[in-house]
Amino acid sequence: QVQLQESGPGLVKPSETLSLTCTVSGYSISSGYHWGWIRQPPGKGLEWIGSIYYGRSTYYNPSLKSRVTMSVDTSKNQFSLKLNSVTAADTAVYYCATTGSVPDTAIIGDYWGQGTLVTVSS
Amino acid sequence: DIQMTQSPSTLSASVGDRVTITCRAGQSINRWLAWYQQKPGNAPKLLIYKASSLGNGVPSRFSGDGSGTEFTLTISSLQPDDFATYYCQQYNTYSGTFGQGTKVEIK
């Protein structure tokens, strides 16, 4: 059973960079699957941020592409998200997820982390 | 960007009811559509992918249908555990746009 856990600062200042890490257990990132980030502002709907295929291909939401960087650390079985130049509009619960064995896609969440709230405020 | 519109926004139903939620895409997405269930404080759970394929461990009372721009999620007999918010998601493009959600409430 694949398990994911987000970690990172819960508070980020405006204009700074939001950095989150997702630690994966029960599966080796380098074995396959796509690994992604999704966010949900408090009381609102879901937004797909982007996905990565174990350090190779990345797939970013065009609306966030200019501010997003994703990477994989196979030695730690982790993948990471960086979102720069944040504003209050980036305040949300951030989830990491993986496609698992769902075929033909990089942007579906079959297994999810529990989510972590990141607040952008000075 | 592909817009995804769900209806209704809220649905009141009773245990045992047959419930259908509709999701419309702003342009054709073939069958690249997923459905999720989310309960308060929890991450979404994948129910359906590729419009009609059941996710791992998902009860058979859930079913999906549609192609192109119009899709449905049906719960054949609503159970107490099914009261939640449901989201559709297109994955025809890398924006992976979600619908705004449909909250299924107890009548």
Side-chain angles (χ1 to χ4, degrees):
Chain A
Q1 177 84 350
V2 183
Q3 293 185 312
L4 302 94
Q5 177 69 58
E6 306 89 351
S7 59
L11 182 65
V12 180
K13 290 182 168 55
S15 80
E16 296 190 345
T17 297
L18 178 159
S19 296
L20 294 173
T21 296
C22 184
T23 301
V24 179
S25 58
Y27 187 84
S28 172
I29 283 183
S30 58
S31 294
Y33 295 169
H34 289 83
W35 307 90
W37 292 94
I38 306 93
R39 68 182 183 178
Q40 185 171 35
K44 296 188 177 180
L46 298 157
E47 182 178 33
W48 196 277
I49 300 171
S51 301
I52 189 167
Y53 186 67
Y54 67 102
R56 297 175 188 173
S57 305
T58 53
Y59 310 87
Y60 298 148
N61 187 330
S63 68
L64 296 168
K65 186 175 182 178
S66 63
R67 298 195 291 132
V68 171
T69 303
M70 295 179 62
S71 60
V72 168
D73 184 339
T74 54
S75 67
K76 295 180 179 179
N77 217 36
Q78 296 175 333
F79 63 103
S80 298
L81 168 71
K82 291 187 186 301
L83 180 67
N84 60 34
S85 305
V86 297
T87 69
D90 294 310
T91 294
V93 174
Y94 285 75
Y95 295 99
C96 59
T98 179
T99 55
S101 56
V102 176
D104 304 320
T105 180
I107 51 173
I108 267 188
D110 194 10
Y111 299 97
W112 295 64
Q114 64 186 27
T116 187
L117 175 63
V118 178
T119 302
V120 178
S121 175
S122 55
Chain B
D1 199 13
I2 300 178
Q3 295 281 78
M4 304 299 293
T5 304
Q6 289 181 230
S7 60
S9 296
T10 306
L11 189 159
S12 296
S14 301
V15 172
D17 284 353
R18 181 181 181 88
V19 165
T20 298
I21 300 168
T22 298
C23 179
R24 290 186 173 87
Q27 64 189 70
S28 177
I29 57 170
N30 297 300
R31 292 177 59 81
W32 302 117
L33 185 99
W35 289 97
Y36 298 86
Q37 176 194 69
Q38 187 178 34
K39 297 180 181 178
N42 289 349
K45 174 187 175 182
L46 179 66
L47 298 175
I48 301 281
Y49 64 93
K50 206 169 183 182
S52 61
S53 294
L54 215 56
N56 291 325
V58 176
S60 58
R61 64 180 180 273
F62 291 93
S63 63
D65 197 8
S67 65
T69 62
E70 187 151 338
F71 301 86
T72 57
L73 172 71
T74 298
I75 309 172
S76 61
S77 178
L78 199 64
Q79 298 302 301
D81 191 48
D82 302 337
F83 292 96
T85 299
Y86 293 83
Y87 292 94
C88 62
Q89 181 206 10
Q90 67 83 14
Y91 55 103
N92 188 60
T93 69
Y94 291 134
S95 61
T97 325
F98 290 87
Q100 82 279 15
T102 295
K103 186 175 183 179
V104 177
E105 297 181 329
I106 300 173
K107 191 171 184 179

